[in-house]
Amino acid sequence: MTAAPKTLEIILVNARHLPKMDTFGSCDGFCVFKFEGNTFRSTTKVKTYSPDWDETFTFQVPGDGKAVGKLDIGVFDWNRFEPEEKVGDAVIDAETMNQIVHGVLDQRVEKTLTVYSEKKQGQPVKGKDKENCEVKIILCMKAATIVQAASFARTNSFVNRKTISTPEENPYAKGSRII
């Protein structure tokens, strides 16, 4: 018998010191989380260098003690008529993620991560205010609900979907997108 699956909750709290990305504006920031084959996208916060989200994303992980990989957080600038631009990445390495995933249930771990630039050979991204760009998250492991555990047992995986944005949440969105 396999151990019951668990849920990793990631709360995207905020970002600080985003760079000026738009010619006639500031930054329209959003984040993309990648962990264990799942991808989630936050809503877009327009015209701000210090967006506040307070959005929660859940990732299901087996409870069998299997090692997990790193958590990638991409920070992007949304654009209306051009492709979105990558601001940079923040990463929690696999060792730290395994400590969190296989650690104590309901223990909140707060992380403020520096965002690094691929374009600048891994240097920290500097905000408009010349400070290092940062993203703040809270991670917490929870026991999966009975419904989640039954779904995991049937499929041996979860299909997690989150509505990205609706016109009511983001006036710049063109309908809802699901990842």
Side-chain angles (χ1 to χ4, degrees), residues 125-168:
V125 172
K126 296 292 184 183
K128 183 177 187 292
D129 60 1
K130 308 294 185 221
E131 297 291 326
N132 287 347
C133 179
E134 299 175 331
V135 62
K136 181 177 179 180
I137 63 172
I138 298 170
L139 302 102
C140 185
M141 287 304 301
K142 303 228 176 236
T145 65
I146 294 171
V147 172
Q148 290 171 332
S151 172
F152 189 84
R154 277 195 314 276
T155 64
N156 199 25
S157 67
F158 285 100
V159 177
N160 287 325
R161 295 180 186 238
K162 178 183 183 330
T163 301
I164 301 310
S165 61
T166 63
E168 294 79 33

Side-chain angles (χ1 to χ4, degrees), residues 8 13 19 26 29 66 68 76-77 82 107 110 131 139 149 165:
L8 171 63
V13 179
S26 53
K66 179 183 170 193
V68 297
F76 293 85
D77 174 53
E82 298 173 11
Q107 180 179 357
E110 187 174 302
E131 297 291 326
L139 302 102
S165 61

Side-chain angles (χ1 to χ4, degrees):
M1 181 173 184
T2 61
K6 298 184 281 185
T7 301
L8 171 63
E9 283 186 359
I10 300 175
I11 302 168
L12 173 59
V13 179
N14 61 40
R16 295 294 180 253
H17 315 292
L18 291 176
K20 180 173 174 47
M21 299 292 289
D22 299 330
T23 305
F24 298 108
S26 53
C27 188
D28 305 319
F30 69 90
C31 293
V32 174
F33 292 87
K34 293 183 181 180
F35 180 66
E36 293 298 296
N38 292 299
T39 301
F40 290 104
R41 183 190 187 282
S42 73
T43 57
T44 301
K45 300 296 181 177
V46 297
K47 298 179 182 176
T48 180
Y49 299 114
S50 298
D52 292 309
W53 282 281
D54 196 27
E55 294 180 26
T56 300
F57 305 90
T58 58
F59 294 85
Q60 306 306 323
V61 294
D64 59 7
K66 179 183 170 193
V68 297
K70 66 183 177 177
L71 170 66
D72 287 309
I73 306 165
V75 180
F76 293 85
D77 174 53
W78 176 85
N79 294 306
R80 178 181 295 237
F81 300 111
E82 298 173 11
E84 52 219 10
E85 294 177 78
K86 189 170 209 175
V87 173
D89 293 291
V91 176
I92 299 180
D93 63 75
E95 181 179 347
T96 302
M97 287 306 298
N98 278 289
Q99 291 172 356
I100 293 167
V101 167
H102 303 300
V104 179
L105 289 178
D106 298 318
Q107 180 179 357
R108 293 168 59 99
V109 178
E110 187 174 302
K111 297 276 187 187
T112 300
L113 306 164
T114 300
V115 177
Y116 292 93
S117 172
E118 284 179 17
K119 295 177 184 177
K120 296 182 179 177
Q121 293 77 38
Q123 294 295 313
V125 172
K126 296 292 184 183
K128 183 177 187 292
D129 60 1
K130 308 294 185 221
E131 297 291 326
N132 287 347
C133 179
E134 299 175 331
V135 62
K136 181 177 179 180
I137 63 172
I138 298 170
L139 302 102
C140 185
M141 287 304 301
K142 303 228 176 236
T145 65
I146 294 171
V147 172
Q148 290 171 332
S151 172
F152 189 84
R154 277 195 314 276
T155 64
N156 199 25
S157 67
F158 285 100
V159 177
N160 287 325
R161 295 180 186 238
K162 178 183 183 330
T163 301
I164 301 310
S165 61
T166 63
E168 294 79 33
E169 293 173 327
N170 181 352
Y172 300 105
K174 296 176 183 169
S176 297
R177 288 187 1 187
I178 297 179
I179 293 180

